[in-house]
Amino acid sequence: SCRHFAYPFGSHSDATVAAVQRAGYETACTTEAGLNRRGQPLLRLRRQAVSRTTGFHSTTAPVVLRTRNSAAAIRACPVAW
């Protein structure tokens, strides 16, 4: 079964978050920019944009290091393509 959800076009509200929770999803990704820190609601995960010119060490490494000791679900949506 699928446990993770991505809001279409990132669009979400309190009502849609509640519907996603009732549907049984554990995590959901928005298109809001930023890092996910401890305590970030798992049904409102942020993303970090990555472009062609973005280097591996400036994006992926910090995301992995910051989430290594966090809930595994936070690793589900670390970047937007």
Side-chain angles (χ1 to χ4, degrees), residues 29-51:
C29 293
T30 70
T31 54
E32 293 176 21
L35 296 175
N36 295 300
R37 305 213 184 274
R38 188 179 308 270
Q40 176 72 23
L42 295 179
L43 295 176
R44 295 178 187 261
L45 294 175
R46 297 179 181 133
R47 295 189 183 212
Q48 183 174 353
V50 176
S51 70

Side-chain angles (χ1 to χ4, degrees), residues 6-32:
Y7 296 105
F9 304 103
S11 180
H12 66 287
S13 64
D14 291 341
T16 55
V17 171
V20 167
Q21 184 174 25
R22 282 192 306 273
Y25 290 99
E26 295 176 19
T27 66
C29 293
T30 70
T31 54
E32 293 176 21

Side-chain angles (χ1 to χ4, degrees), residues 1-2 4-5 10 12 17 21 25-26 38 52 60 64 69 73-74 78-79:
S1 69
C2 183
H4 311 289
F5 186 82
H12 66 287
V17 171
Q21 184 174 25
Y25 290 99
E26 295 176 19
R38 188 179 308 270
R52 290 179 193 222
T60 308
V64 171
N69 296 321
I74 298 229
V79 297

Side-chain angles (χ1 to χ4, degrees), residues 35 48-51 54-68 75 78-79 81:
L35 296 175
Q48 183 174 353
V50 176
S51 70
T54 305
F56 174 81
H57 293 290
S58 64
T59 58
T60 308
V63 171
V64 171
L65 292 173
R66 287 188 178 120
T67 61
R68 180 168 287 149
R75 286 189 290 270
V79 297
W81 297 104

